[in-house]
Amino acid sequence: MKNTQYDYLIVGAGLFGAVFAREATDQGKKVLVIDKRDHTGGNIYCENIEGINVHKYGAHIFHTSNQQVWDYVNRFVTFNHYVNSPVARYQDKLYNLPFNMNTFYQLWGVTTPQQAKDKIEAERAPYADLEPQNLEEQALFLGGRDLYEKLIKGYTEKQWGRPATQIPAFIIKRLPFRFTFDNNYFNDTYQGIPVGGYNALTDALLEGVEVRTGINYFDKADDYNQLADKILYTGKIDEFFDCQFGALEYRSLHFETEVLDQDSYQGNAVINYTEREVPYTRILEHKHFEFGTSDKTVITKEYPHEFSKDNEPYYPINDETNNALLTKYQELAKTAPYADKFIFGGRLANYKYYDMDDTIEAALALTTQELV
Ligand code: FAD
């Protein structure tokens, strides 16, 4: 007779925790999921405002080329035919993204792939001998000044909160030029938004699983640890160890959401504002993710932000210093008392940017390893 109530306590009802909870439950394990937020779904959660699913933690578009992951999610929801085709706005002009024949036509009036290639070569020529030392030089070297100033500079500086000359060159490895008239942002085989929104996916994953929201694991960690044989922890790894070696750094975001009394504001789900002078990076118009037809619309302005303990950790900053710190925490996770009892998974525990399909793939891999 075992003296714990659950086989697994899962800290975090995000996608990673929810997939593992589903699989463990289906294999006959007794599972409890807790989350400190007042809802499940983690960062894929949507808030319903005026009948529109509002992506509360930033725009989420599901895309994958992983057949196993695609088949898996389609067991729980169906996907609509949304194709991510963001538009960039610089001053009063609009440009299609990713950089493709439409963009080159809008920038330079070129109409054929050969003209576009010749123009890009001419734009790059003044910088051909550069050995790029920072992002600005790298972008000039790869695409020339016009493209850099209109579509890269301001947006990237806002994202990173510093001048492009102080951002490392490796951030832009290559510029993905496409010499076709194709505005589909992703190259993946599958993409879309779950019909009924992301909460439909989370709800289906967590159906029949015991979930308690509004509970911070650290408020009573010792008590929660007693409840289960094993703990899957999907929160921040540094926080788990009381930030004893120092805190891992993130970039954060701040969102301003408005309901507007009009049926459409910008005619597209995502518009990037690439001018440095406009303080936000993007405006999302949520109804267009799901082809909404209501009389009202909801828009969100997205502002990049410094991270502090009072705001959300969005993007890990995987530079040398933070990665070295991460390694120290990962070593500690292996050697700490009762190390075998704890499993670390998901984007915060691994301090890694994972797309949703990577998150699901990683959770399913853990399932295979853990639930034999
Ligand atoms: P999370 O969703 O963060 O879930 C972790 C959960 O743990 C949270 O609910 C948190 O409240 C909870 N938690 C943490 N600490 C505690 C604690 N102490 N006690 C209790 N609960 C705790 N992916 C795509 O594929 N397409 C996209 O378009 C896309 N857009 C993105 C946009 C942004 C701005 C960001 C940041 C990410 C985006 N992603 C996208 C990635 C996607 O959000 C992640 O893959 C996914 O959310 C990761 O799930 P997770 O469970 O690992 O983490």
Side-chain angles (χ1 to χ4, degrees), residues 184-201:
N184 177 355
Y185 196 77
F186 298 118
N187 289 316
D188 281 316
T189 317
Y190 306 109
Q191 69 179 299
I193 305 287
V195 172
Y198 285 96
N199 298 359
L201 174 59

Side-chain angles (χ1 to χ4, degrees), residues 16 35-36 43 59-61 216-217 347 353-354 356 359:
F16 193 95
D35 202 295
K36 65 182 178 184
N43 279 5
H60 277 76
I61 299 113
N216 189 333
Y217 168 71
R347 66 176 194 106
Y353 179 85
Y354 281 132
M356 288 179 275
T359 302

Side-chain angles (χ1 to χ4, degrees), residues 288-346:
H288 299 308
F289 288 118
E290 298 182 53
F291 312 103
T293 53
S294 59
D295 294 343
K296 297 203 173 169
T297 194
V298 182
I299 62 165
T300 299
K301 291 179 181 149
E302 185 176 303
Y303 299 80
H305 213 275
E306 288 301 314
F307 171 65
S308 74
K309 63 178 177 30
D310 300 322
N311 47 33
E312 293 289 335
Y314 282 109
Y315 297 107
I317 302 180
N318 289 101
D319 59 13
E320 254 176 57
T321 314
N322 284 298
N323 284 344
L325 196 53
L326 172 65
T327 306
K328 285 171 89 172
Y329 284 120
Q330 286 172 330
E331 286 304 315
L332 191 56
K334 286 187 209 144
T335 53
Y338 309 110
D340 289 352
K341 188 173 169 114
F342 295 93
I343 307 164
F344 295 85

